[in-house]
Amino acid sequence: MITKILNSPMGQMISTWRMSEEGLRLGNQILQEKDELGEAIVRAVKCVEDNPAYVSVGYGGLPNREGQVELDAAYMDGDTLGTGAVISVKNLKNPIEAAYRLSKKKTNSILAGDGAMKYASYEGLPCRNMLTESSRKRYEEEKKEQMKEEERRAYEGHDTVCIIGRSRKGSMACGVSTSGLYMKEPGRVGDSPFIGSGFYADSEAGAAAATGMGEDIMKGCLSFAIVEKMRSGLPVQEACEKALEEHWRRLERRGYTNRGMSVIAMDNQGNAGAATTLDEFPFVVAGKDGCRLYVASMDQETGEHFLFAPDEEWLKNSKSD
Ligand code: ASP
């Protein structure tokens, strides 16, 4: 097993899923050239939010049961612990930008629905109809399918873009953005915009973020659990595996089935780690030597965790988001 992916004294980043690759490249360039952590993370997340090809984040995101795209985003500054989040926002072009600005406020920093949109409009942030024509078509088709079923099923493609970064001075931060579960009930919120569940950053210890079934991730405040393990001295990869394992077993004892949870983390020295309960979870690591895709995996029979660098064959056969 690879336990240390990249170790460099330079500012570094780690992100979830293949969809984050282009954004991470951009963010890493900003970090390497200017050492501007907030800008690097926000630009990286925006790059994913703006791309309609990525159907689980931002523009062209997965609609709820009523055909509306409802988005959640959050940002945490690991120096100040300042946290901002917007929850269930519709038609906001870049939810991460609003979350970033809110993270600088000492009160009223987590806003939902209309309140979040009022704030965004006050700040002059751009709005846009987030439902693309292809999202609308997919929604119409899914609706027809679901009418045939007794129980609504959550589409399997839901994901969150999570970006963690560390500056040369050792500041850490984290940004996340998602449209949540496909065909969710209007107003449903997952782990992503909740501090400690979907993300956590503390420059004194490290940062972590999660993606997967939010209702399950939240039951263990998974991101906070990983950071606390790093704080108590566990190496980043072990912290990811141990926190996820303990949480997954806790759920399993209660009769839950594995609906997929994946995590990324970075310690306060810039070492990166990741773990998953899925067969495969792609993530990207960037540093002064460039950007590279890795895959975390869990053996479904033994529960053993692995990390590997995918080859050409894997890249050709796996989905691009
Ligand atoms: N965690 C997100 C949510 O539950 C979705 C995901 O990351 O797959 O809203």
Side-chain angles (χ1 to χ4, degrees):
M1 188 194 305
I2 312 161
T3 51
K4 196 188 278 179
I5 298 162
L6 243 157
N7 185 10
S8 148
M10 301 291 286
Q12 288 188 301
M13 306 185 89
I14 180 169
S15 60
T16 53
W17 307 111
R18 276 180 91 176
M19 65 175 159
S20 66
E21 203 166 353
E22 190 192 341
L24 203 73
R25 245 178 248 289
L26 183 71
N28 187 45
Q29 197 183 336
I30 294 166
L31 207 50
Q32 301 303 322
E33 286 170 8
K34 303 202 268 176
D35 209 29
E36 287 289 347
L37 185 58
E39 186 187 338
I41 291 178
V42 171
R43 288 281 294 281
V45 175
K46 272 186 180 177
C47 181
V48 186
E49 286 179 339
D50 286 338
N51 191 335
Y54 302 134
V55 298
S56 54
V57 175
Y59 183 51
L62 299 168
N64 66 15
R65 201 162 51 80
E66 291 177 351
Q68 288 179 321
V69 182
E70 275 182 330
L71 304 160
D72 305 320
Y75 182 92
M76 184 166 186
D77 177 327
D79 285 349
T80 61
L81 305 186
T83 303
V86 288
I87 298 176
S88 292
V89 287
K90 294 172 199 153
N91 302 328
L92 182 58
K93 181 177 171 286
N94 292 112
I96 191 65
E97 180 69 50
Y100 175 67
R101 293 185 189 203
L102 285 165
S103 73
K104 305 205 178 291
K105 289 165 71 82
K106 292 220 160 53
T107 44
N108 299 298
S109 58
I110 299 182
L111 299 177
D114 289 348
M117 289 309 289
K118 270 190 196 147
Y119 170 77
S121 130
Y122 176 77
E123 287 284 305
L125 299 178
C127 289
R128 164 186 231 178
N129 176 6
M130 301 301 269
L131 191 71
T132 55
E133 189 46 30
S134 69
S135 287
R136 196 193 57 76
K137 276 200 190 125
R138 210 174 38 244
Y139 165 76
E140 296 296 346
E141 274 155 31
E142 183 68 18
K143 210 165 87 175
K144 269 188 241 147
E145 280 299 304
Q146 295 207 1
M147 302 230 310
K148 291 184 220 145
E149 290 182 18
E150 284 202 356
E151 201 177 306
R152 287 185 206 102
R153 63 197 156 92
Y155 173 61
E156 287 185 344
H158 59 85
D159 289 329
T160 302
V161 60
C162 307
I163 311 254
I164 292 171
R166 177 182 176 274
S167 75
R168 280 197 280 280
K169 299 184 285 286
S171 296
M172 301 198 74
C174 176
V176 303
S177 184
T178 188
S179 55
L181 295 191
Y182 191 18
M183 306 302 270
K184 65 188 177 185
E185 296 292 335
R188 176 266 179 195
V189 190
D191 60 307
S192 303
F194 292 123
I195 181 167
S197 283
F199 64 94
Y200 199 78
D202 181 345
S203 308
E204 290 179 359
T211 175
M213 188 56 76
E215 283 77 353
D216 297 346
I217 292 168
M218 281 193 274
K219 292 183 174 71
C221 296
L222 203 44
S223 299
F224 185 67
I226 295 169
V227 173
E228 288 309 289
K229 289 205 185 303
M230 292 194 277
R231 198 189 305 279
S232 65
L234 228 59
V236 58
Q237 182 60 30
E238 270 177 70
C240 288
E241 290 176 13
K242 201 155 192 295
L244 185 60
E245 181 72 23
E246 285 172 2
H247 181 52
W248 162 229
R249 296 296 169 212
R250 189 184 302 145
L251 292 182
E252 208 181 26
R253 286 197 297 278
R254 272 41 175 237
Y256 288 90
T257 53
N258 180 5
R259 302 192 287 182
M261 296 180 282
S262 305
V263 295
I264 55 168
M266 183 172 278
D267 68 19
N268 61 2
Q269 302 304 307
N271 299 302
T276 186
T277 63
L278 297 171
D279 292 337
E280 288 182 343
F281 161 58
F283 63 100
V284 189
V285 179
K288 67 176 169 41
D289 302 324
C291 207
R292 176 138 204 206
L293 184 80
Y294 293 87
V295 181
S297 109
M298 185 179 91
D299 185 312
Q300 300 295 322
E301 270 173 26
T302 63
E304 217 182 325
H305 294 278
F306 301 94
L307 292 180
F308 64 89
D311 57 18
E312 286 301 319
E313 188 66 13
W314 188 95
L315 292 170
K316 214 167 61 201
N317 296 329
S318 88
K319 66 185 186 83
S320 59
D321 56 355

